[in-house]
Amino acid sequence: MNKFTRMAVGALTVAAVIAPLSTVTTASALPAAGKDWTTLESLNRAKQQACKVSADEGTVWKIYNRLDARRMPRRWVRVRSTLTATRSGVPTARDWDSGWVRHGNVSAVGTFKIPKTGPWALTMSIYGDNAGSGGELTAADIRHC
């Protein structure tokens, strides 16, 4: 082996060791890691899920949301879900939309905050191309992360 080949092999070896370590670090830093998800609604084994943590010195709930379509049958190509905060029954700009999620995938985790006190509620929906479901709930219906 010449000097260039030894350096290339050495660099590849270092990269092979570092890449899995950085993947482990990244995976453990994901917002979804270790959360105790509450399933808000299911549609053909796709699950809209949320959990909450106290934030801003205990004055608000930070709500994490995701759509898990890993167990959805293949004949259901895609699903979508939303979660919107309402104040006195009026929708606010505090909302989350999963976007379309294909069979076998999980959406990105999204968050928004709502005050712990006052007339706040949540409206959720989950739907596919041909069916859907939805309803209202409160932050008290969602478990802590």
Side-chain angles (χ1 to χ4, degrees):
M1 251 193 255
N2 65 27
K3 185 176 180 179
F4 177 75
T5 306
R6 280 193 304 271
M7 286 177 33
V9 169
L12 289 173
T13 303
V14 170
V17 170
I18 291 174
L21 293 177
S22 65
T23 302
V24 170
T25 303
T26 303
S28 64
L30 289 174
K35 300 248 181 271
D36 185 18
W37 295 103
T38 302
T39 298
L40 305 179
E41 187 74 37
S42 295
L43 179 67
N44 288 325
R45 292 189 285 176
K47 299 180 286 189
Q48 181 177 1
Q49 298 177 316
C51 68
K52 67 184 178 191
V53 295
S54 185
D56 295 348
E57 298 178 3
T59 60
V60 300
W61 290 116
K62 184 174 185 178
I63 300 175
Y64 291 85
N65 311 275
R66 76 175 186 180
L67 178 58
D68 183 348
R70 290 178 290 189
R71 297 186 51 142
M72 185 175 69
R74 287 191 184 278
R75 70 180 182 273
W76 277 74
V77 177
R78 62 186 189 165
V79 289
R80 190 173 195 158
S81 63
T82 63
L83 188 64
T84 302
T86 62
R87 184 169 184 192
S88 299
V90 178
T92 68
R94 299 168 194 218
D95 63 353
W96 170 81
D97 185 332
S98 68
W100 287 107
V101 178
R102 295 198 160 286
H103 156 81
N105 295 300
V106 179
S107 72
V109 174
T111 64
F112 63 84
K113 295 177 183 178
I114 61 169
K116 287 186 175 181
T117 59
W120 291 89
L122 299 165
T123 302
M124 56 77 50
S125 68
I126 183 171
Y127 54 93
D129 289 322
N130 298 316
S133 181
E136 290 194 4
L137 63 148
T138 66
D141 298 319
I142 300 173
R143 286 192 302 261
H144 289 269
C145 297

